[in-house]
């Protein structure tokens, strides 16, 4: 029996799942166990199609599609974008014309067609800059902001392009720091970074923990689950993920409210 994975943050997810059910087809609408373990979960499930609901939190669906397309183990999974308001999905459609889109009324037929005639190549989703959003905006680097770059590789600032007015980069986290980008290459780097974040103010700082994507070209001794689990244990909470380019990925954290 083929399995279709439905990811939705809509309160009517049960009805959406029911509308997709067809003979010989299992609809898995259970929430992800860990958002940071998205790729591993999908690769293990290996659904025939991934349905992403655009009716609520469409930006999260876009991010998931971006991360999926950057993975060698899961990029082959066809994606069906379902629902969404036309004015909010128009840019997504124009930037990814080869993906499959449908209203929820059309979704069952679109799903059946996708199952019968899966694409020979995955739908195109740009890796470097999904939705043509500038990297500075994706990372939340704004005017008049002090940003700490911790262990950033050579050339990373050039990757960001022209900076907003009065943006300051430092190599240390200071009381005036608003955002930190901490680059890690190993579990030892992760532990040292979390020690640094735990010991130094300010607690209002938001943190991107930037790590290499796990590929044959960039072998590492950890995965996204390690980053999330150890960060949660240190008192941080993840709430966003960013695929920076073909090499780097990053979850974003803030301090858990007391």
């Amino acid at each position: 029996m083929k399995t279709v994975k439905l990811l939705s943050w809509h309160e009517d997810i049960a009805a959406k799942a029911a509308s997709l059910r067809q003979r010989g087809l299992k609809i898995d609408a259970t929430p992800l166990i860990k958002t940071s373990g998205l790729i591993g979960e999908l690769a293990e499930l290996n659904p025939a199609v991934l349905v992403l609901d655009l009716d609520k939190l469409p930006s999260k669906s876009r991010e998931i599609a971006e991360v999926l397309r950057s993975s060698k183990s899961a990029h082959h999974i066809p994606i069906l974008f379902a629902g969404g308001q036309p004015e909010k999905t128009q840019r997504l459609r124009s930037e990814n014309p080869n993906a499959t889109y449908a209203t929820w009324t059309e979704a069952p037929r679109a799903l059946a067609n996708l199952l019968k005639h899966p694409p020979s190549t995955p739908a195109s989703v740009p890796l470097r800059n999904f939705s043509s959003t500038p990297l500075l905006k994706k990372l939340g680097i704004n005017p008049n902001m002090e940003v700490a770059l911790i262990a950033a590789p050579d050339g990373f600032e050039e990757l960001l392009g022209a900076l907003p007015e009065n943006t300051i980069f430092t190599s240390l986290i200071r009381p005036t720091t608003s955002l930190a980008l901490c680059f890690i290459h190993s579990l030892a780097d992760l532990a040292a970074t979390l020690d640094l974040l735990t010991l130094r103010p300010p607690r209002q700082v938001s943190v991107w923990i930037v790590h290499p994507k796990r590929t044959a070209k960039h072998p590492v001794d950890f995965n996204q689950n390690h980053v999330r689990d150890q960060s949660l244990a240190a008192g941080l909470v993840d709430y966003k993920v960013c695929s920076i380019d073909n090499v780097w990925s990053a979850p974003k954290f803030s301090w858990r409210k007391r």
Side-chain angles (χ1 to χ4, degrees), residues 8-239:
S8 173
W9 295 267
H10 199 276
E11 55 274 11
D12 203 19
I13 184 174
K16 292 175 184 288
S19 71
L20 297 175
R21 288 193 176 94
Q22 301 172 23
R23 181 177 296 178
L25 192 64
K26 175 185 177 183
I27 305 298
D28 182 348
T30 56
L32 294 171
I33 297 173
K34 294 180 179 178
T35 304
S36 59
L38 164 72
I39 295 301
E41 254 188 90
L42 288 177
E44 183 176 356
L45 180 63
N46 194 27
V49 175
L50 172 64
V51 180
L52 291 173
D53 184 6
L54 297 179
D55 279 352
K56 189 173 184 180
L57 299 179
S59 61
K60 182 168 287 191
S61 291
R62 294 199 306 268
E63 289 174 355
I64 286 174
E66 177 185 10
V67 173
L68 188 71
R69 289 294 173 250
S70 69
S71 165
K72 288 187 176 181
S73 62
H75 78 282
H76 64 282
I77 301 171
I79 295 177
L80 168 62
F81 291 104
Q85 299 177 13
E87 64 272 18
K88 292 186 177 181
T89 61
Q90 182 177 3
R91 187 172 65 179
L92 176 63
R93 288 172 178 265
S94 64
E95 292 166 352
N96 301 279
N98 295 325
T100 302
Y101 301 85
T103 65
W104 276 104
T105 301
E106 303 165 339
R109 177 175 294 181
L111 176 59
N113 288 336
L114 198 54
L115 289 167
K116 188 175 182 179
H117 304 289
S120 56
T121 57
S124 174
V125 179
L127 295 178
R128 175 174 289 274
N129 201 357
F130 190 78
S131 300
S132 294
T133 303
L135 184 55
L136 286 167
K137 185 175 181 179
K138 289 173 71 174
L139 293 172
I141 299 177
N142 300 314
N144 306 307
M145 177 179 282
E146 182 176 307
V147 181
L149 295 181
I150 310 299
D154 294 339
F156 181 74
E157 291 186 36
E158 286 74 12
L159 180 64
L160 295 172
L163 298 177
E165 185 178 4
N166 297 325
T167 299
I168 299 173
F169 283 138
T170 68
S171 58
L172 297 172
I173 298 177
R174 309 189 300 187
T176 50
T177 300
S178 300
L179 182 70
L181 280 75
C182 301
F183 290 77
I184 65 171
H185 296 82
S186 65
L187 281 174
D189 287 349
L190 175 59
T193 296
L194 293 175
D195 284 345
L196 173 71
L197 295 173
T198 301
L199 294 173
R200 295 200 175 189
R203 293 189 69 82
Q204 75 270 14
V205 68
S206 296
V207 181
W208 291 101
I209 296 185
V210 189
H211 60 85
K213 295 176 180 177
R214 196 172 189 177
T215 65
K217 188 176 180 180
H218 300 281
V220 290
D221 63 349
F222 65 94
N223 57 36
Q224 294 181 75
N225 290 340
H226 291 105
V227 176
R228 182 177 187 270
D229 292 346
Q230 294 191 29
S231 299
L232 290 176
L236 295 165
V237 178
D238 63 318
Y239 62 97

